[in-house]
Amino acid sequence: MKWTSAFLLMFLCIYVSAQELERADKHAHTVAFTTDYASAARELAGAFDQDILKVRALFKWITSHIQYDEARLNTVLETGQRERHEFTASSVEELAAQKKEMIETFIETTLKEKKGVCQDYAYLFQAMCSEVGLEAEFIRGFGRFSASSIGELPARANHAWNAVKIDGRWRLFDVTWSTGMGMEGGDYGDGFFMVDPEIFIMTHYPDDARWQLLESPIDKKSFAFLPFMHASYLKYNVLDFKPTRGKVTEDAVIELKIELDEGQQLCVLKGGKLRSERFEERSDDRYQLALSDTILKGNIMVGLIDGKRIMPLVSITVLDMK
């Protein structure tokens, strides 16, 4: 049985067994919903000694009880108006107090209504982690939501997520996207639980570069030209993908490392239609498709056929050099 994050398997080997992770999930489901997030956090984390299991229980409890507020998102998309908060503080201390009060209001409303948007999830997750002694950060930045954004520089921040320090090392989480956000095909499963930074950067560009958690942070232009990762990239455990750019020439070779179950196969789609091109199976669960052997041009998507479903994995643009 596969886990839903490509890198979760690696982390499990380091930190915890699959059985223990499942135990954290089950415990999260036994903790009743309450608007008292502090007591819930203590009950959730109190059953475990390891940081990763504490975080897992908190993460699972939030994704199980808080729904994404689609109506609120639609209002923002229709009006272009985002929530703005003005502070009237006359000192650093007063400003901190006002910000804290604002965050508590966000959290209180989220729990009362049992729904929220990205900042609400991120504030709640941070607060619950902090309540049980886990260092957590609220991160604001730009999230890529569409393959059409390949080549476009990230504009102003449109998303929020978290970093949590686990056993002395910062890890990346997106509680919001792990709910699926109510979108068709938006099922990330638990994919955005502790994602490797080199995968996370395919869709998340933080305002503060240090939260890329990369040895060599990338700039906005480099981010803009990365391939676009669909939800199923994490759900189906893509361990590696090449090319590393989202716009490639027709002599490029597409290569994926993925463990396919019996009956599953990789495919290529263009304009939503299934193409006849076939990936060549290599050693060590690697599959290749030489674009020079095809007539593919423009926007294409690599997907996975799973039964009667075609699950999108990653999109790139093949440039016509003629």
Side-chain angles (χ1 to χ4, degrees):
M1 177 181 178
K2 296 178 183 177
W3 291 99
T4 52
S5 169
F7 287 84
L8 187 52
L9 284 171
M10 178 180 70
F11 290 139
L12 289 176
C13 295
I14 298 172
Y15 289 104
V16 66
S17 69
Q19 291 77 15
E20 288 177 307
L21 192 75
E22 186 176 355
R23 184 165 64 91
D25 291 350
K26 289 181 177 179
H27 176 62
H29 289 302
T30 68
V31 177
F33 177 77
T34 174
T35 57
D36 184 356
Y37 74 83
S39 65
R42 291 191 295 270
E43 184 176 356
L44 287 160
F48 307 105
D49 294 325
Q50 292 176 277
D51 286 351
I52 185 175
L53 295 180
K54 294 177 182 180
V55 175
R56 178 70 178 196
L58 300 175
F59 185 96
K60 180 64 70 172
W61 188 85
I62 295 173
T63 59
S64 298
H65 291 292
I66 306 299
Q67 294 184 328
Y68 190 78
D69 193 342
E70 296 176 66
R72 196 160 139 211
L73 173 64
N74 290 335
T75 298
V76 172
L77 294 177
E78 291 170 3
T79 65
Q81 299 296 317
R82 296 180 178 273
E83 296 176 348
R84 296 182 180 277
H85 302 276
E86 296 183 1
F87 300 101
T88 57
S90 57
S91 68
V92 173
E93 293 76 16
E94 188 177 356
L95 177 61
Q98 289 183 9
K99 286 184 176 180
K100 182 178 180 181
E101 182 179 357
M102 178 199 71
I103 292 170
E104 286 294 335
T105 299
F106 275 129
I107 293 174
E108 181 180 341
T109 302
T110 299
L111 291 169
K112 181 180 178 180
E113 298 181 355
K114 297 187 71 173
K115 60 184 179 180
V117 292
C118 59
Q119 65 181 9
D120 305 315
Y121 283 101
Y123 281 137
L124 177 59
F125 188 47
Q126 179 190 31
M128 293 183 78
C129 286
S130 298
E131 182 64 32
V132 296
L134 294 165
E135 193 173 352
E137 286 287 334
F138 176 96
I139 301 172
R140 193 178 299 279
F142 184 82
R144 299 172 80 189
F145 292 87
S146 170
S148 63
S149 63
I150 295 176
E152 295 182 4
L153 292 176
R156 63 181 182 180
N158 65 354
H159 193 42
W161 58 93
N162 299 96
V164 182
K165 186 175 283 189
I166 298 178
D167 296 333
R169 183 174 177 182
W170 288 105
R171 303 293 189 181
L172 295 167
F173 301 82
D174 190 330
V175 188
T176 312
W177 281 19
S178 287
T179 67
M181 292 179 61
M183 297 186 300
E184 182 179 355
D187 178 14
Y188 288 88
D190 295 322
F192 275 96
F193 178 86
M194 205 163 71
V195 181
D196 184 275
E198 293 190 0
I199 297 298
F200 207 81
I201 194 62
M202 292 176 72
T203 48
H204 293 65
Y205 191 83
D207 287 346
D208 186 341
R210 67 190 173 116
W211 291 116
Q212 292 182 26
L213 300 186
L214 295 171
E215 185 174 339
S216 299
I218 65 174
D219 58 23
K220 286 186 177 182
K221 185 175 181 180
S222 297
F223 170 80
F225 282 93
L226 290 172
F228 178 77
M229 179 179 71
H230 295 272
S232 298
Y233 188 100
L234 293 174
K235 189 176 179 67
Y236 285 91
N237 298 326
V238 179
L239 297 172
D240 188 26
F241 179 82
K242 296 176 182 177
T244 58
R245 288 181 61 82
K247 291 191 175 185
V248 301
T249 55
E250 53 202 55
D251 60 348
V253 176
I254 299 175
E255 180 177 298
L256 292 87
K257 180 175 174 60
I258 180 173
E259 181 185 348
L260 298 179
D261 287 340
E262 185 176 354
Q264 294 178 341
Q265 66 181 73
L266 296 173
C267 63
V268 178
L269 296 96
K270 179 172 170 54
K273 295 182 179 180
L274 187 63
R275 301 280 302 201
S276 61
E277 284 80 6
R278 292 288 180 266
F279 280 80
E280 177 185 357
E281 184 173 358
R282 314 288 287 185
S283 60
D284 193 27
D285 293 323
R286 289 189 177 273
Y287 299 82
Q288 287 186 349
L289 174 65
L291 290 174
S292 58
D293 294 336
T294 77
I295 57 171
L296 291 168
K297 299 290 187 298
N299 299 325
I300 66 170
M301 181 178 70
V302 177
L304 182 145
I305 300 175
D306 186 8
K308 296 182 178 180
R309 301 178 301 171
I310 297 179
M311 309 302 292
L313 299 177
V314 62
S315 289
I316 61 174
T317 299
V318 183
L319 302 174
D320 189 345
M321 304 303 292
K322 295 180 181 178

